Amino acid sequence: MAAEDPVNDINRRFYEAFESLDIKRMEGIWLREDYIKCVHPGWALLSGWDAVMESWRRIFENTEQMRFTLTNVEARVQGELAWVTQYENLASRLQGQTNAAVVLATNIYERRPDGWFMIHHHGSPVMMADPEPHSTVQ
């Protein structure tokens, strides 16, 4: 087994918890410590268990559906820490409206005796140019 395999597994379970919109599943991914951090696209830095979990509750309560296709996934293990970078190609439904976005995400995990746990999630929106520019002048 490669060192990255358990990290890839917890990273996959993070996105499954995200898609499930189930706060209990999300709580099981994160390390219950005051030093955890989270940055959702467009949000300020959140610090500590209570603030991070409240952010997930708010997202889950206001989202009907989320689906991720992850691309360019790269995991690295260094001692008791690991990080995964990837593009989140996201399709979501909010208030009956379907939305699509691309987010560049970094997830950091800490190894504990009972497994790997997330300690940091940072998502930044990726601005993409219009593939076919068009003019309004005829």
Side-chain angles (χ1 to χ4, degrees), residues 18-19 21 59 62-69 88-103:
F18 205 154
E19 288 182 340
L21 305 176
I59 289 169
N62 293 295
T63 304
E64 297 166 30
Q65 182 180 32
M66 289 232 183
R67 293 293 172 253
F68 291 92
T69 301
E88 301 172 345
N89 301 280
L90 170 64
S92 63
R93 195 167 61 239
L94 304 147
Q95 301 173 343
Q97 219 174 357
T98 301
N99 300 295
V102 178
V103 175

